[in-house]
Amino acid sequence: MTEAVILGVGMHPWGKWGKPFVTYGITAAQNALADAGISWLDVDFVSGAETVRNGYPGYVSAATFAQALGWNGTRVATSYAACASGATALEAARAQIRSGRSQVALVIGADTTPKGFLAPNAGDRPDDPDWLRFRFLGATNPAFFAMYARRRMALYGDTAQHFAAVRVKSATAGLNNPNARYRKAMTIEEVLASPVVSNPLHLLEICATSDGAAAVILTSEEFARGRREDLVRVAAVSTATPRFPSMNIELPDIASDSAAVVALPSESFRQSLATSAYEEAGVSPSDVDVAEVYDLSSAMELDWYEDLQLCARGDGAKLVESGDTALGGRIPVNPSGGLACFGEAVPAQALAQVCELTWQLRGQASGRQVDGARVGITANQGLFGHGSSVILTR
Amino acid sequence: MPELAPDQASEGAPASAIATWFDDGPQPALRALQCTVCGNKVFPPRALICPNPACSSTDFESVHLGRLGTLWSFTDAQYAPPPPYPRTEGPWEPFPLLAVEITDDKMIVLGQAAPGVGLEDLTVGMPMELSVGSLTDGTAVWNWKPAGGTS
């Protein structure tokens, strides 16, 4: 079986311009094609991540991008998996390549987002948990992030200063990333002086929503041979779902499962995403040189350290205190600046993580390079039991 | 636990999607569906098939969840949530949002705090009990409050 390798990556910078999402996507696609040194006519499969906020063209984003680039007869498929959409699109392309049906795939996600809180679809939707949590509880996404953060404070003794230190670390890392939306150094005092949105989290600790686009050219090893020396291999794509019963409050649910009849599984959902990626790639957490995780809040980044098994459960804050996860540390996390510096462009975000790790593993992450990185892991989680973890290797 | 009538929502209250999810009275409680085969309980009380993947029963009875628990976590809304959360006139009044682990059912259920309960009254792990309150548009909802208190 052929393996899938990354021949090219490209992005459109993150920001808030309100242009059609297709314009961002085309820029990312053209950048990825140029990086790969191939033509759009070489692409035989377009794997799109869907955007749900831009009408029908967003629902069929792969076809939308194929038409915008000029119909070339390519097959298309569009995936939606909330925050994990980009990883699901990557997995679809990887399966096509490994089965021999595709040689060159364009994997792409782009979004144009509204201002303010993400809200459910319009109309009375009493069968939709996403509608119910807004209508009867006023439970926004930051409220869920804040409850996870408060839980850490109670269980592990994390403090507001620890959470703010994560944000300061991200800001420092993102300073030199040309694709980041927010490039401004900050102090713990500035983070804690920003307004509280949902106690204990401050405005600067909660991920914004952004416009942006990311694209990956995924090919067979045969097609890539001789085209570039610094090929990055997709060693694992994990898109596991939770196992019953889960006693975490997962977005957008207003209640957990009951663990009264069936015992809790040995791993949490988020940890199981990483474990299945490690198993598929045949690497262990100690092999990881760099990680890109979904810091929807500053505190959530600490959860990911533990879910990725970079430290023991409850020790996440120690990694920030020691500088282990900062650039130059033992295991840098979010050298891109993460969601803190990008804001979330849902269908593009998991692919942006793959772009960043590709640059890191090639040694091209100018101004934020993790020296000698050979193994990188991504992690994210979204609504309705979606999540992903991707491992890339050199 | 005795089976409940299909709909015990009080007459005259504003009809809402959640009106049949809890019962008011001296001992307010949430309603769940309980699988008659494996005993698993489901809240909100609607299920097509038992969510225990090792069980495929479609037979449920209506039961109450335990009305006591411990505070799993909590936060508040310093900014008004977007629609469909009901809009309020005048300055925004932040409300606490709580996650309570129901002791008997090993299940975490979110709810707003009962009127008069503020963040300063709350500590993770403290005993909590269910009560009934309303949103600003009059919709009846369940609330959580510290157990044994008067608020």
Side-chain angles (χ1 to χ4, degrees):
Chain A
M1 182 167 61
T2 184
E3 281 304 325
V5 295
I6 294 176
L7 192 61
V9 291
M11 289 169 65
H12 181 290
W14 264 230
K16 204 81 170 183
W17 299 284
K19 295 181 197 168
F21 77 97
V22 188
T23 59
Y24 311 133
I26 295 308
T27 298
Q30 290 184 316
N31 287 342
L33 289 166
D35 184 49
I38 63 170
S39 149
W40 160 239
L41 292 173
D42 293 320
V43 172
D44 62 19
F45 182 58
V46 177
S47 189
E50 173 183 348
T51 164
V52 295
R53 297 189 181 84
N54 294 276
Y56 216 128
Y59 304 151
V60 294
S61 73
T64 299
F65 293 126
Q67 183 176 24
L69 290 162
W71 290 122
N72 72 350
T74 180
R75 287 176 298 115
V76 297
T78 301
S79 304
Y80 192 66
C83 301
S85 296
T88 302
L90 186 74
E91 186 172 46
R94 183 171 179 243
Q96 292 282 334
I97 287 165
R98 294 176 98 187
S99 74
R101 288 200 72 196
S102 166
Q103 292 293 309
V104 183
L106 166 63
V107 189
I108 181 168
D111 209 2
T112 302
T113 53
K115 282 190 173 179
F117 289 118
L118 294 180
N121 290 344
D124 278 0
R125 308 167 54 76
D127 295 325
D128 178 352
D130 198 34
W131 182 86
L132 289 165
R133 56 122 173 183
F134 278 102
R135 173 64 182 86
F136 296 109
L137 293 161
T140 60
N141 291 7
F144 281 77
F145 309 153
M147 285 188 285
Y148 305 150
R150 172 66 60 187
R151 184 79 180 157
R152 287 195 63 86
M153 294 170 110
L155 286 186
Y156 311 132
D158 289 8
T159 64
Q161 281 73 20
H162 286 134
F163 301 155
V166 174
R167 182 64 182 88
V168 169
K169 175 190 72 72
S170 299
T172 304
L175 277 178
N176 294 313
N177 189 341
N179 288 309
R181 176 179 174 189
Y182 303 106
R183 275 174 279 167
K184 182 178 172 294
M186 56 184 71
T187 64
I188 287 179
E189 292 70 29
E190 285 169 334
V191 174
L192 296 179
S194 67
V196 173
V197 173
S198 284
N199 188 292
L201 295 177
H202 302 77
L203 185 63
L204 287 174
E205 299 181 281
I206 292 168
C207 157
T209 61
S210 290
D211 300 355
V216 173
I217 303 295
L218 197 68
T219 78
S220 64
E221 284 178 307
E222 293 71 34
F223 183 88
R225 194 163 294 136
R227 291 179 184 269
R228 72 182 310 149
E229 296 294 310
D230 53 358
L231 285 173
V232 169
R233 182 170 157 260
V234 181
V237 181
S238 161
T239 55
T241 50
R243 284 182 189 278
F244 177 90
S246 167
M247 262 187 74
N248 195 14
I249 292 281
E250 306 283 8
L251 270 161
D253 293 335
I254 60 177
S256 74
D257 296 326
S258 166
V261 169
V262 178
L264 288 173
S266 58
E267 285 191 318
S268 70
F269 168 46
R270 279 197 301 245
Q271 184 170 328
S272 74
L273 286 166
T275 297
S276 95
Y278 285 129
E279 285 173 3
E280 184 187 351
V283 302
S284 73
S286 61
D287 297 322
V288 172
D289 300 310
V290 55
E292 281 282 317
V293 303
Y294 228 58
D295 54 322
L296 291 165
S297 79
S298 54
M300 192 182 290
E301 179 167 323
L302 303 181
D303 287 333
W304 282 120
Y305 296 173
E306 297 157 16
D307 294 322
L308 294 183
Q309 299 142 57
L310 305 178
C311 64
R313 182 68 62 189
D315 283 351
K318 291 179 188 166
L319 294 196
V320 168
E321 278 182 331
S322 64
D324 278 7
T325 52
L327 279 172
R330 177 176 66 83
I331 165 68
V333 176
N334 285 0
S336 70
L339 292 172
C341 295
F342 274 73
E344 189 182 20
V346 174
Q349 211 67 48
L351 291 173
Q353 294 181 322
V354 170
C355 290
E356 175 65 15
L357 288 188
T358 299
W359 285 317
Q360 291 287 348
L361 268 52
R362 288 178 183 169
Q364 295 177 332
S366 180
R368 59 185 194 285
Q369 180 65 45
V370 177
D371 289 340
R374 308 289 292 184
V375 177
I377 188 168
T378 77
N380 84 17
Q381 184 188 1
L383 274 66
F384 291 97
H386 280 299
S388 68
S389 181
V390 176
I391 293 178
L392 303 182
T393 57
R394 267 297 297 280
Chain B
M1 202 170 290
E3 194 162 337
L4 302 172
D7 189 346
Q8 292 183 347
S10 56
E11 285 182 30
S16 83
I18 61 168
T20 57
W21 293 7
F22 56 97
D23 291 301
D24 204 351
Q27 298 280 304
L30 296 168
R31 284 197 197 183
L33 291 181
Q34 183 168 30
C35 174
T36 59
V37 175
C38 77
N40 181 56
K41 292 181 186 173
V42 185
F43 182 84
R46 44 191 198 190
L48 300 171
I49 186 166
C50 180
N52 174 359
C55 179
S56 56
S57 170
T58 55
D59 190 34
F60 301 95
E61 59 185 11
S62 182
V63 298
H64 281 139
L65 290 176
R67 52 184 310 280
L68 301 176
T70 54
L71 187 57
W72 188 84
S73 193
F74 60 93
T75 183
D76 62 359
Q78 291 284 333
Y79 294 85
Y85 191 74
R87 290 289 184 186
T88 51
E89 301 290 327
W92 172 247
E93 292 285 341
F95 62 84
L97 184 69
L98 282 53
V100 171
E101 180 177 341
I102 298 173
T103 307
D104 288 345
D105 300 305
K106 294 188 179 178
M107 176 192 292
I108 301 166
V109 178
L110 300 186
Q112 291 190 2
V117 177
L119 295 191
E120 65 282 2
D121 303 318
L122 302 172
T123 309
V124 170
M126 72 191 295
M128 304 294 292
E129 69 178 313
L130 195 88
S131 64
V132 169
S134 62
L135 300 178
T136 53
D137 67 349
T139 307
V141 293
W142 68 91
N143 288 158
W144 291 110
K145 64 179 184 181
T150 53
S151 56

